[in-house]
Amino acid sequence: MEFVEIEWNSKLYTLEIELRDRLLRAPLGLTFSSEELEAESTELHFALVDQDQVRACAVIVPLSRNLAKLRQMAVHEDYQRQGLGSMLIHSIESVLKQRGFQKIELNAREEAVTFYERLGYHAAGDRFMEVGIGHWKMHRQLG
Ligand SMILES: CC(C)(COP(=O)(O)OP(=O)(O)OC[C@H]1O[C@@H](n2cnc3c(N)ncnc32)[C@H](O)[C@@H]1OP(=O)(O)O)[C@@H](O)C(=O)NCCC(=O)NCCS
């Protein structure tokens, strides 16, 4: 399993979108618009790749020099609960730390809160709704 940074609009980006669409959008009856994908050109795309296939991915939005937002975290359905999600988060944290970021925040789907807690993320504030499902704001200080 190789940790890679994916270039926007590359072949791997297409595979990343397929995975995100299948796991995060299609179950909610949603799709990605071309405007949404265009806006992702300024975001950072990270993945775990094996045999030229994207097995896990996440998107990072640099919100400021120190603060990054993690979004669109997904692990291929055949590879869940095998440590890939944790491996991807650890690799992303290490890259972001090297690049000077000090904090990561994210909006966790309710069913994924335990996963992030296990990785040292803390929930803050009240439960809120997004794309029709309950979410919690979570954050972690790097370093
Ligand atoms: C949530 C998700 C990213 C976790 O990735 P993963 O590779 O399966 O997670 P890991 O194997 O690294 O899990 C580490 C620990 O987190 C916890 N965990 C992971 N998935 C969990 C789940 N669905 N429910 C409860 N705890 C979970 C467990 O404690 C797990 O350790 P264990 O397997 O030894 O019990 C993945 O299941 C996924 O893509 N789900 C569908 C999309 C999604 O919900 N994305 C998150 C949006 S915020």
Side-chain angles (χ1 to χ4, degrees):
M1 206 64 68
E2 191 189 358
F3 173 65
V4 297
E5 183 164 358
I6 291 181
E7 196 182 324
W8 182 78
N9 231 2
S10 63
K11 199 169 154 189
L12 277 178
Y13 180 72
T14 307
L15 297 177
E16 175 199 321
I17 295 301
E18 273 176 27
L19 181 66
R20 288 166 48 197
D21 186 47
R22 196 172 70 246
L23 271 98
L24 299 169
R25 292 294 166 108
L28 304 176
L30 302 170
T31 52
F32 289 109
S33 68
S34 48
E35 291 80 11
E36 257 180 297
L37 298 183
E38 194 72 35
E40 292 197 350
S41 63
T42 57
E43 299 176 351
L44 310 174
H45 300 264
F46 294 103
L48 291 176
V49 174
D50 175 43
Q51 298 179 345
D52 295 324
Q53 298 299 314
V54 174
R55 309 295 193 199
C57 64
V59 179
I60 292 291
V61 188
L63 294 178
S64 72
R65 208 159 48 88
N66 302 328
L67 177 65
K69 180 174 183 177
L70 184 138
R71 57 184 285 270
Q72 295 281 298
M73 169 87 199
V75 175
H76 188 292
E77 50 273 57
D78 295 344
Y79 291 81
Q80 290 178 9
R81 298 305 279 265
Q82 296 171 39
L84 262 70
S86 305
M87 194 192 301
L88 180 61
I89 295 271
H90 285 140
S91 302
I92 289 174
E93 286 177 349
S94 143
V95 166
L96 292 183
K97 217 171 134 180
Q98 280 168 24
R99 295 185 191 178
F101 289 94
Q102 290 169 3
K103 190 178 169 185
I104 299 182
E105 64 173 38
L106 57 90
N107 294 341
R109 292 184 179 197
E110 205 142 43
E111 63 200 23
V113 166
T114 309
F115 165 71
Y116 292 114
E117 277 175 346
R118 288 264 311 241
L119 292 163
Y121 287 75
H122 301 284
D126 297 326
R127 178 181 185 268
F128 64 97
M129 296 301 285
E130 198 175 79
V131 287
I133 44 181
H135 279 76
W136 290 86
K137 276 206 179 300
M138 299 187 83
H139 60 89
R140 174 168 152 79
Q141 210 72 36
L142 297 175

